Amino acid sequence: MSSQIEQLAINTIKLLSVDQVSKANSGHPGAPLGLAPLAHIIWKNLKFNPKNPEWINKDRFVLSNGHSVALLYSLLHLFGYDLSIDDLKNFRQLGSKTPGHPESETPGIEVTTGPLGQGISNAVGLAIAEKNFAARYNKPDFTISDSRVYTILGDGCLQEGVSSEASSLAGHLKLNNLIAFYDDNHITIDGDTNVSFTEDVNKRYEAYGWNVIWVKDGNNDLEGIAKALEDAKKSDKPTLIRVTTVIGYGSLQAGTHSVHGSPLKADDVKQLKEKLGFNPDESFVVPQEVYDYYNKEVVERNQKIEEEWNKTVEAYKSKYPELGAELSRRLSQKLPENWAEKLPTYNSGDKALATRKLSEMLLDSVFDELPELIGGSADLTGSNLTRTKEAVDFQPDGSNIGTYAGRYIRYGVREHGMGAIMNGIAAFGANYKPYGGTFLNFVSYAAGAVRLSALSGHPVIWVATHDSIGLGEDGPTHQPIETLAHFRATPNLKVWRPADGNEVSAAYQIALEQNHTPSIIALSRQNLPQLEGSSIEKASKGGYVVHEVADAHVVIVSTGSEVSIAIDASKKLKESGINARVVSLPDFHTFDRQPKEYQLSVLPDGIPILSVEVLSTSGWAKYAHEQFGIDRFGASGKAPDVYKFFEFTPEGIASRAIKTIDFYKGSKIVSPLNRAFYPIHYE
Ligand SMILES: Cc1ncc(C[n+]2csc(CCOP(=O)(O)OP(=O)(O)O)c2C)c(N)n1
Ligand SMILES: *[C@@H]1O[C@H](CO)[C@@H](O)[C@H](O)[C@H]1NC(C)=O
Ligand SMILES: *[C@@H]1O[C@H](CO)[C@@H](O)[C@H](O)[C@H]1NC(C)=O
Ligand SMILES: CC(=O)N[C@H]1CO[C@H](CO)[C@@H](O)[C@@H]1O
Ligand SMILES: [Mg+2]
């Protein structure tokens, strides 16, 4: 038997959620009505401080079925976060703090959700970060970290493959700080789940190595939910609590898909409010005793816990000054001073190396300096060279193959899961900078997660090796063509394609200094020479003149492995009296943010510009009048043969440079960057 006040609180959550959807005439009332009792129990038990949402030892709550966001806004309001009744009244309106799906800018929202399957996978990342954080800072006499991750997910999240990737890894890693609640309501948009989803979810999660508990009446059995939660806390595995609910519980449409995504009809709202003991003529009503109850039961209790924790941290800092200082630094989201001095630099006399190898050497030299760096690979460690020499694997304590203090994650062949997990690790805070390796072509497998990194500003780094036809024999299935065009078109995403060692260092330096922007670093399999004209400083501008000539007739702008070939082409052209400047443009995003005068000094008016890159030409018209690229799939063969086949040789580039010069002879040439209203950045 639940107390009256609890029932009143649950009813308030239900009606606040329904009122938001009705006022907006848009949204999803079904899941909040089915989930209010569960949400009440979870939030009653959560550890957090609404006045200090960044507290590192708070429990995290992730609403993986992000369409039920009205439920989350009701909770944030009732539990004292900075979200007023007026904010709830503005649900889904332009410029409001209550957008259509949860966005991490809203205080109290840990990760942006809505694309199904991502939230549960982010939750796995949050749980990994907590385990690692605790392993680094906890001491027998000091608990700095003991928070948990709670998430609610629906049928849709379980159907999406990414949840399987992440859940499988969570089981392997024995993340017992993760508690997931499955809203088993038998409904998705198409109707009853019996049309497409008849698997045994309990057995599936047991097979992953999870602890599975089933609460059969999630609409009424508060004690059952609370007991399941307590049992989950004692488990040595992650727990899935399957909570069978009725979607739209209490509505006239309860149990049907019509209540999933459209507002309740007026008569339905009326009968619901009457049934729950509220005045049907009023909306957005919160009885004072509900505010008081949550404040006293939850917020005040948590204030005390945080106060104690604050004291613990102070004592910790005096007993362990070094770790304490490191902890403070990380909580202030700053890298160690002078860390960048560890970045390798190169001269043109240095050995030619693959940029993937240069990346490995760089990671080796900064890994110990940056405890927030937590790497991994989707089963391509050997070819991607992502694991530093001294790294310990992140594995369950006592597993003999690593520990939770380890900072190298074996993601398995799970690119999408890796992407979503990295987002979760970054979202934990403490300056975590996750990086993950795979072939550039397979970053596309993770596109759903990459997009969310960019949208919600997680500074994750993709170490994307084998970045072109230069990978050779593996052929068109592995050779990226459209990949960079897609990712360069993604807002708030840096996409580096460095040409040599100094450019690799620049890419990592800028990527690691970001707190709100993710990066993809595309790296070659084949060896590349160290360029005479490169430096970290120049490459840090995103684009620069790498090979200057007097009185240029043409500018060749290129990236990565083609830059040195373009320089050779320029030298060849010189023999016929043609002057070709070569520009390296390792990252569009960074270059686009330089002052216009600088951009025009690199790609000036008056000279025709030719772009050269062994990838799709799409996007290059922004910088070059003419484009030399590959607008078809690649070819299997020895890398030098494939380059010759597509004519990416000094001769092939030189002949196109000459055609470019001839075509534009006598016409007024304006740099593509010099235009009426470009570039525009909405930031
Ligand atoms: C990746 C992705 N695909 C499709 C959608 C559109 N969508 C939103 S909710 C939903 C159905 C989800 O069903 P379920 O998780 O069971 O939620 P319920 O109807 O029970 O609230 C779909 C397909 C989405 N949000 N994300
Ligand atoms: C599927 O669900 C619908 C709606 O609940 C029901 O009418 C139908 O009988 C079910 N079919 C099967 C095969 O279970
Ligand atoms: C704990 O310390 C932080 C940082 O100084 C502060 O913002 C917060 O209010 C403190 N918490 C409590 C409950 O006093
Ligand atoms: C050392 C190593 O793992 N090399 C691998 C690099 O990637 C290629 C392409 O998949 C493999 O064939 C190599 O075995
Ligand atoms: Mg459902």
Side-chain angles (χ1 to χ4, degrees), residues 49 52 303 306-307 310:
N49 177 2
N52 182 19
Q303 287 289 122
E306 198 200 1
E307 259 170 50
N310 279 355

Side-chain angles (χ1 to χ4, degrees), residues 630-644:
I630 303 182
D631 291 311
R632 52 158 278 186
F633 289 111
S636 171
K638 290 189 176 43
D641 293 346
V642 179
Y643 263 76
K644 260 184 225 140

